[in-house]
Structure formats: C-alpha cells, structure tokens
Amino acid sequence: MLSLKNILFFCLFLSLSFKVFAEDTLLIRKGYEDYYIKGSYLEILEDPHKDLTIQDVVAPLTSSKFYIYREKDKLPYIVNTNSAYWIRFRIKADSMPEKKWILENLDLHIDQFELYKPSGKNYFKKEIAGYALPFGIRSYPHKNFVFDLSVDTIAQTYYVRVTSRSHNPFILKVRSSNFFTFYALNEYYLLGMFYGILAIMAIYNFLMFLSFRERVYIYYVIYVLSCAIISLAEDGLGFQYIWSDFPEVNRWISLLAPLILMSTFTIYSKKFLELKVNLPKLNTFLDIIILVYIGIFLADEFILHLNWDFPLYIIPFLIIYIASIVCLKRGFRSARYYILGYSFMFFSIILLIFRMSGVIHWDDIFTVYSFNIGLVFEIVILSIALSDRIKIIRSEKEDADKQIIEQLKENEKLKDVANKRLEEKVAERTVQLKEKNDELEDAYQQLTHQSEEIKRMNLLLNEDNTKLEKNVKELSKARVMLKEVDFTEFGHIFPDKESCLKYLSELKWKNGYTCKKCGNAKFCQGKEIFSRRCTKCRYDESATAYTIFHRLKFPITKAFYMVFLVYSNKGKITSFELSQILSLRQSTCWTFSKKVVEAMKEKKKQGADYEQADGWALLVLDYEQQED
C-alpha cells in the first residue's frame, strides 16, 4: 500500500513538473512573428561577486538557485549595479520552423551582454555584445543586441549574462528574421527623419542668426546640436556609425550629455525669456542652482557614487518651466509657444530621468523614444516661438513708431498753439510799442527849443551824406568799370572759403540743378559743403566742379581775387605783380592767370557782356575739365 502511494505521489509530481515546464517554455507557433520573453518565461540568478561561469551556472547546485520572475506585466531589471545577472529561458517550436529566428535585446545601454547558446550536452557557444565593448564584435551590425537562435521542436535552454552600471531592464524579444528586417528598416527610417528634422532646424536657425544677428538663434542652434548628441548616444546610432571603435565615448557622453543638455537649454531659455530683465532675481537663483548641481554632479560621480544627481537634475528644468509661466502672466507674449514646446520636452525629460534612474521600467515605444518624440515637438514649436518672438518685436517696434508719429503730431499741434500765442503776444507788444512811439513823439514836440542844435547837427549830417553819396557813386563806378580794389576791400565780400563756395553754388545752379551723369533734376546734400548729390545715380558734384576753380591748389579766396584782378586789368597784369599782391609763388600765379586769360578769350568769342556787374564771374562757369 505504501509503495502504491509513493507511485501515485511520483506520478502527480511528475505531471506537475511537466506542467511547470510547459508554462516556463516559450512556444513558437506558426503564424506568429514576435514574442516577448518575460514573466514566467524568465528565470533569474544574481551573481554578487561576478565570478560564476557558465559551467557553474548549469551545475545542479547553482541551477537550483534560479527563481522564476512571476510579474507578467513588468520587466525584470538590474537592481544591484555591482552584481552580474544570469537569465535563463527555454524556447521550442510547435512544428519545424520555416523561418530563421533571432534574439533581440532592446536595451542597448547594457555594458556587457553575453548569450550562451546550446551546442550539445552541457556545451554552450558564447556570443557577446555590449555598450562598453567595441561595436565590431557584434553578430549583427545593429544598434540593439541581436543574435541568431536555433529553434527546434525540442526545447532548448539559453543563458544570458548581464553586467551594467545602470538599472537597465531585460527587454528580450524573439523575432523572425523577416519581421526583424521590417521592424529595423522602419525604425532606422523614422530615426533618419528625426535627425533630418534636427538638422533642418539647426541650419534654418543658423541662417536666421546670420540674417538678424540675434544671439538667441545661435544659442538655439547649440541647444539643438547638444540634443542631437544626446539622442545619438541614447538610441545607439552614434555608437554604430560615429565612434564604433571607441566604446569609452559612450560612457563619457552618457555621463556628460545630460549636463550639456541642461547647460545649453538654460542659456537658451534665459536669453529667450529675457530673464535678466523680466525676472532678475530668479535669473540669479537659476545660476546658483546650476552651479550647485554641477558641484553635486562632480562629487557624486567621482567621490560619493550615490546617484543623487539624477533626482536633482529635474530642478533647473522645473524652475525654467515656472519662470516661463510667470513671464507669460506678466505680459511676455513670446513665452506662449515656448511653454507649449517646452511642455513636451519637460515631460520627456522626466520619463528619461525616471527610466535612467530605474524608477520606471516601461518598454513601449513612447517610453523608449520619449526623448526623441518630445524633442521633435519641442524643437519645431520652439522654432515657431523664435519666429513669433521676432514678429512680436517688430510689432512692438511698429507700435512704438506709431506712438512716436502720434507724439510728433501732438507736438506739431502744441507748436501751432504756441506760435498762435506768440503771435498774440507780438501783436500786444506792437500796440505797446506804438504807444511808446506816440509818447516819444510828444517828447519830441517838447524838445523844439533845441532846434538850433539839431539844425547844426543836421548840417554836419548833410555834409557826411554828401561824402557818402560820392563814395557810393565811385564804388558803383568801380564795379561797372571794373576798377581795381585792394584785397582787404575784396575780402569783405568774400571773407572765407565758405562764402566763396556758397557764391559758386548759387551761380552754378541759379537756373536749377541737373545731374551731369544721368540728367536727373532731384538732389540731396553731398558729402562736402554746398555740394549736391544726385538721388538717382548718387553722383556727387562739388561747388567747384565744372568751374575754373576745380582742383585748386591754393586758397579759393585768393583765386577769386586773382580772377578779379586779371579780369579788371584785361589780362595785362603780370604773374610777378599777382605774386606780390597775393603772397603766392610766381609759378602758381602764372599758371592760374593763364587759365583766366584763356577763359576771357573764350568768353569774348561767345560775346560775353563784360560791362555788367560782377562780369568777372562769367569766367568761372562752363570750364572744360575732367569728372569731379
């Protein structure tokens, strides 16, 4: 009877064992392409000392220490980063497979991932990949860890050894090669679109910087480039295509990229939100927070090793988010698009921090690529925010210009009112002056007794008037007959260069201005005094251009007087006499007087009227010369 009980117990135990085995084995069914290895399919063993080998693990004593992961909806992950973890799973097919199958680990940030494939009894073939190992050792040139599987109708046991410095989850998938190719191509295509958007935004805003010279654009470009570097490290494309032979770069980028992201985003945000003006105290507080975080980051990385920096990493981003809301409430309209774009980024950064620190272990596409998705939305919207910011600045400038115009109109009205009041005051003052004149007239009548003295004074005045009239007649005659006057008297009429140039400009353009180059009649002030610049072809014509004084080498006042002297003496004055009168070199006087004499001859042929007032001035115009 006892023997029968033992037999029944053994049969029951055997049946239960087969049931457990069936539950723990991943069954590949026909028509299915993709399987998760999670929940009860996984058996896990922690190796605290990292000294177990595959022979130790398959030994009965150690093999019995594996425990089945019973959480169906959660993924196992590395709890203790100082330990090695062994994973065991079984696979079999319900019929002979027609397709090739692969094992893919989706978390590419695991430092070292070793797959032990069954190759005979208690023999295993080792394949290896890892974020801390050269990319070229992988079986497949793919950003994730991909290995071939030998799927058969007989269950086969696989072992995986994992070590990492982060709390990485174990995201293991079994896929057909066809499905894997389809999935990988689509994934790379979408990542290509993602980096294309980043490149377009960076180039576009760099061109905007070159156009507007606004530093906020170059800060934005630097921020986009830092996001691209972080994304390359996060999705593994950088390791695959850029630094394949330098896995240590992964470590440094993973270490420094969050710090670079925070720094560049903070600099850009401070400039965009104009925190130095809008929130100066918060701007200073933000600088202090950044410096404190950098100190904690360095201390934790090189001394403490407590991972305190990840929870604190969110604080500067939170402060900036709050600052943008405060700026919007205070009327800074440019912050509206900024808040919208930043909301996507802020949420993705929170997910990234929680995932990297081991708080959450989700593996869906929105979690894995949360940073990329949030970054695309943020970068596009922030680019729109920059354009909106420029529009607002222009609108504010236009409003300011309108206010200035309105103020000018108001000032004009005030000026008219002031002028009207001033005219009234002048009229009142005129009446007062008239009254004073009447009083003076009365006083004059009262002074008639002084008439004899006044008569005597009148006689003296009459004598002076007679002399004055005589002098005026002589001066008039000297002007008409071109009688020679001295340089001092001549200097009263043309005392300096400015008066000479003014006289020339009035003489040249008394009948209106016409451009010598294009015939345009409109002009503005030229670069020299009394010169005129054509508004069409921008030709600048000086007052001396096309006159006898063009390219003069001595004072123009003396040149004026020399023309007068040569003309008044009908060209018969010598260069020696001119040199003595004007205190100039004889050669200079000879050269210029020769030009005057030639001009006189030419004017004489043209029938010039020498007897008119200022007849000598006819010599200075229409003189042949080169361009001014």
Side-chain angles (χ1 to χ4, degrees), residues 447-464:
L447 296 175
T448 53
H449 62 279
Q450 299 179 358
S451 59
E452 293 298 326
E453 183 66 19
I454 293 173
K455 288 180 180 180
R456 187 180 65 81
M457 294 177 65
N458 285 337
L459 290 174
L460 294 175
L461 288 173
N462 288 334
E463 292 177 359
D464 292 338

Side-chain angles (χ1 to χ4, degrees), residues 27-210:
L27 183 62
I28 305 297
R29 297 182 177 89
K30 191 174 183 179
Y32 292 88
E33 304 279 346
D34 187 31
Y35 297 90
Y36 250 128
I37 306 178
K38 61 180 180 178
S40 60
Y41 295 130
L42 289 177
E43 294 180 279
I44 301 173
L45 173 66
E46 183 178 358
D47 179 10
H49 304 291
K50 299 183 179 180
D51 57 356
L52 294 178
T53 64
I54 183 63
Q55 287 74 24
D56 297 330
V57 171
V58 299
L61 183 61
T62 307
S63 180
S64 62
K65 296 180 180 179
F66 276 88
Y67 67 92
I68 298 175
Y69 191 77
R70 295 295 184 182
E71 297 288 343
K72 293 184 178 181
D73 299 327
K74 295 182 179 180
L75 291 172
Y77 64 96
I78 297 175
V79 178
N80 187 358
T81 56
N82 295 319
S83 299
Y85 283 83
W86 287 86
I87 305 170
R88 182 170 64 189
F89 57 90
R90 300 179 182 86
I91 301 176
K92 77 170 184 176
D94 60 353
S95 61
M96 286 303 296
E98 299 175 355
K99 301 176 182 179
K100 186 178 180 181
W101 292 82
I102 58 97
L103 173 70
E104 180 181 9
N105 181 68
L106 274 61
D107 193 325
L108 52 93
H109 297 91
I110 294 176
D111 289 348
Q112 187 164 329
F113 187 96
E114 302 172 6
L115 175 65
Y116 292 88
K117 300 161 61 174
S119 178
K121 188 175 182 181
N122 292 333
Y123 287 96
F124 293 88
K125 181 181 178 182
K126 176 181 175 182
E127 293 187 15
I128 189 169
Y131 206 52
L133 302 174
F135 190 86
I137 68 173
R138 302 187 181 189
S139 302
Y140 282 78
H142 190 270
K143 65 185 188 67
N144 296 336
F145 307 151
V146 182
F147 308 94
D148 288 325
L149 293 178
S150 300
V151 178
D152 202 345
T153 54
I154 300 174
Q156 299 184 67
T157 304
Y158 292 84
Y159 289 86
V160 174
R161 183 180 184 272
V162 174
T163 58
S164 185
R165 286 169 287 191
S166 302
H167 299 279
N168 305 93
F170 307 136
I171 312 175
L172 300 175
K173 280 202 168 187
V174 175
R175 289 172 167 168
S176 67
S177 58
N178 295 342
F179 181 81
F180 169 73
T181 302
F182 169 79
Y183 174 84
L185 288 176
N186 281 278
E187 185 179 26
Y188 276 88
Y189 175 75
L190 294 175
L191 288 173
M193 292 180 58
F194 166 73
Y195 287 107
I197 292 173
L198 294 191
I200 290 172
M201 291 295 102
I203 294 171
Y204 169 75
N205 285 280
F206 181 72
L207 295 177
M208 294 290 286
F209 166 73
L210 295 179

Side-chain angles (χ1 to χ4, degrees), residues 228-377:
I229 293 173
I230 293 174
S231 298
L232 286 170
E234 180 67 13
D235 57 34
L237 292 185
F239 189 30
Q240 181 175 355
Y241 292 108
I242 302 176
W243 57 85
S244 305
D245 298 327
F246 304 97
E248 60 274 8
V249 174
N250 291 325
R251 166 66 176 164
W252 286 106
I253 290 182
S254 299
L255 178 66
L256 298 178
L259 193 61
I260 295 173
L261 173 66
M262 182 177 65
S263 302
T264 55
F265 183 73
T266 301
I267 294 172
Y268 161 71
S269 299
K270 289 173 61 178
K271 184 64 178 178
F272 183 92
L273 297 173
E274 298 179 7
L275 293 184
K276 196 171 184 179
V277 177
N278 295 328
L279 299 170
K281 292 184 178 179
L282 187 60
N283 180 69
T284 304
F285 178 70
L286 184 59
D287 291 338
I288 295 173
I289 289 295
I290 296 296
L291 293 175
V292 170
Y293 175 79
I294 293 175
I296 294 175
F297 171 81
L298 295 175
D300 187 69
E301 184 62 32
F302 298 104
I303 301 174
L304 302 176
H305 305 293
L306 298 175
N307 290 328
W308 287 353
D309 53 319
F310 267 116
L312 297 175
Y313 187 72
I314 197 66
I315 295 178
F317 293 94
L318 182 61
I319 293 174
I320 294 173
Y321 194 67
I322 295 173
S324 62
I325 297 175
V326 174
C327 288
L328 180 62
K329 287 185 176 181
R330 293 190 177 184
F332 189 72
R333 292 191 299 160
S334 301
R336 50 186 178 171
Y337 286 108
Y338 176 89
I339 295 173
L340 177 61
Y342 186 32
S343 297
F344 290 99
M345 185 63 180
F346 187 66
F347 182 71
S348 66
I349 288 175
I350 292 175
L351 287 180
L352 177 64
I353 292 171
F354 285 173
R355 189 163 63 85
M356 295 182 70
S357 60
V359 176
I360 61 176
H361 307 283
W362 303 334
D363 65 323
D364 57 89
I365 189 171
F366 295 104
T367 304
V368 174
Y369 289 107
S370 63
F371 182 77
N372 304 66
I373 296 171
L375 192 59
V376 168
F377 280 103

